[in-house]
Amino acid sequence: MEYQRFTPKLFGETALATGSDPQISQFGSALAGTFLGTTDPATIQALSAWSSGFIGAVTPSEQFPPLPETTGVLKVFSYLINMLYQQGVPVWDSGTDYYTNNFCSRNGKIYFSNTDNNQGNDPLTDTTNWSDYVTSVISSSIDGQWVSSYHSLSSESGSGLFIRYINAFLPNDNYNYLCQFSVNFYDYGDDSGSMYFETDIYQVGNASARNQLHVSQGNKYGRHNSNVFTMPVGPERYVKWYCTDANTSREFALVGYRRLGTNS
């Protein structure tokens, strides 16, 4: 059976948690003696009754938990399902126990667990228990293959010198990369001046490549791609460009790269 995708709705989203007779409440709070109205999923499941299920919330006079508590339970499940559909890969949680090859996301990157019982280890800093999926799996399989990956580096107007660091847009694997850049431009002046783009690629003060993009007088708008440059290994890889026409707006972007089979 193939399940059809639809937009999920949050169960209990409009239930009220206010007053002495709330419509949604903390699971097990009635039996505990303080009927607590709340819409917060973490608070709903905070009492020990949550772990034992409905039996942990059964009141002496009734063989079922109060309706507001049942609403709270279903909202937690609905909340987690909605979050999973929205995020695709759930955000890392310090209290979750991950096992080998379990996935999570952290600061826009995807990681997979290298170990079992992996709890409380931050993927951003722990390279023993976690691996960057792009670096470890995708990058290792694309050596020599061109990757189209559009990343906007800057949007600005006017003339001047502009510098942008690009390490965040390349796999962090200590390899050299061939990179290509593009500029989208629009001349909102009188076309009396030409646009001149000079692009350099650097590794910590060592100029390794240089390209000049010249847009002739009379062009109102367009897009130009640079030549392909070797981006050497380095902690501060960046590009800089210069534009002489003050009456232009531009977007400068990294449009693709290819890993080289050397890290020297």
Side-chain angles (χ1 to χ4, degrees), residues 194-259:
S194 63
M195 285 183 287
Y196 173 77
F197 294 95
E198 178 181 287
T199 307
D200 295 319
I201 299 179
Y202 280 84
Q203 173 201 0
V204 196
N206 177 29
S208 61
R210 181 170 178 169
N211 180 50
Q212 295 182 355
L213 292 175
H214 186 267
V215 182
S216 301
Q217 178 178 331
N219 287 340
K220 288 290 292 185
Y221 58 89
R223 174 175 177 169
H224 288 258
N225 288 333
S226 73
N227 295 328
V228 177
F229 298 108
T230 298
M231 178 64 71
V233 176
E236 293 184 288
R237 293 182 286 195
Y238 62 88
V239 293
K240 72 175 182 178
W241 61 97
Y242 183 78
C243 181
T244 59
D245 192 337
N247 296 316
T248 61
S249 58
R250 300 164 307 281
E251 179 186 31
F252 198 80
L254 171 67
V255 296
Y257 57 84
R258 177 169 70 86
R259 195 178 81 173

Side-chain angles (χ1 to χ4, degrees), residues 157-188:
S157 299
S159 61
L161 177 66
F162 306 92
I163 297 176
R164 292 295 182 271
Y165 293 89
I166 69 166
N167 266 358
F169 305 113
L170 295 176
N172 184 24
D173 56 7
N174 292 320
Y175 276 81
N176 295 334
Y177 277 84
L178 290 178
C179 298
Q180 187 175 38
F181 302 88
S182 74
V183 60
N184 291 296
F185 67 92
Y186 176 71
D187 190 329
Y188 51 83

Side-chain angles (χ1 to χ4, degrees):
M1 175 181 177
E2 181 180 0
Y3 293 94
Q4 300 300 312
R5 180 74 161 90
F6 63 92
T7 303
K9 295 181 180 180
L10 181 61
F11 186 87
E13 182 176 13
T14 61
L16 300 177
T18 56
S20 59
D21 188 21
Q23 297 172 347
I24 183 171
S25 64
Q26 184 182 53
F27 186 75
S29 61
L31 187 60
T34 303
F35 199 32
L36 177 63
T38 179
T39 59
D40 177 51
T43 304
I44 290 173
Q45 66 171 17
L47 296 181
S48 60
W50 181 269
S51 299
S52 58
F54 284 111
I55 194 66
V58 171
T59 61
S61 60
E62 303 288 350
Q63 289 300 303
F64 52 82
L67 183 60
E69 294 186 11
T70 305
T71 301
V73 171
L74 295 177
K75 180 177 181 179
V76 171
F77 296 151
S78 180
Y79 183 93
L80 293 173
I81 291 171
N82 275 270
M83 182 182 68
L84 181 59
Y85 273 113
Q86 182 185 69
Q87 296 179 355
V89 177
V91 173
W92 173 75
D93 173 62
S94 61
T96 296
D97 201 9
Y98 296 92
Y99 287 81
T100 301
N101 292 329
N102 287 176
F103 283 81
C104 74
S105 64
R106 186 84 161 96
N107 282 17
K109 291 186 175 182
I110 298 176
Y111 298 86
F112 63 91
S113 178
N114 298 322
T115 58
D116 292 337
N117 303 306
N118 181 6
Q119 186 181 52
N121 303 308
D122 193 337
L124 289 180
T125 56
D126 189 335
T127 57
T128 300
N129 292 288
W130 292 99
S131 291
D132 185 320
Y133 178 69
V134 172
T135 298
S136 301
V137 179
I138 297 180
S139 294
S140 62
S141 65
I142 62 171
D143 195 18
Q145 300 182 33
W146 185 257
V147 178
S148 296
S149 180
Y150 190 92
H151 294 289
S152 178
L153 300 176
S154 177
S155 295
E156 76 277 319
S157 299
S159 61
L161 177 66
F162 306 92
I163 297 176
R164 292 295 182 271
Y165 293 89
I166 69 166
N167 266 358
F169 305 113
L170 295 176
N172 184 24
D173 56 7
N174 292 320
Y175 276 81
N176 295 334
Y177 277 84
L178 290 178
C179 298
Q180 187 175 38
F181 302 88
S182 74
V183 60
N184 291 296
F185 67 92
Y186 176 71
D187 190 329
Y188 51 83
D190 57 6
D191 294 328
S192 59
S194 63
M195 285 183 287
Y196 173 77
F197 294 95
E198 178 181 287
T199 307
D200 295 319
I201 299 179
Y202 280 84
Q203 173 201 0
V204 196
N206 177 29
S208 61
R210 181 170 178 169
N211 180 50
Q212 295 182 355
L213 292 175
H214 186 267
V215 182
S216 301
Q217 178 178 331
N219 287 340
K220 288 290 292 185
Y221 58 89
R223 174 175 177 169
H224 288 258
N225 288 333
S226 73
N227 295 328
V228 177
F229 298 108
T230 298
M231 178 64 71
V233 176
E236 293 184 288
R237 293 182 286 195
Y238 62 88
V239 293
K240 72 175 182 178
W241 61 97
Y242 183 78
C243 181
T244 59
D245 192 337
N247 296 316
T248 61
S249 58
R250 300 164 307 281
E251 179 186 31
F252 198 80
L254 171 67
V255 296
Y257 57 84
R258 177 169 70 86
R259 195 178 81 173
L260 300 177
T262 176
N263 59 357
S264 58

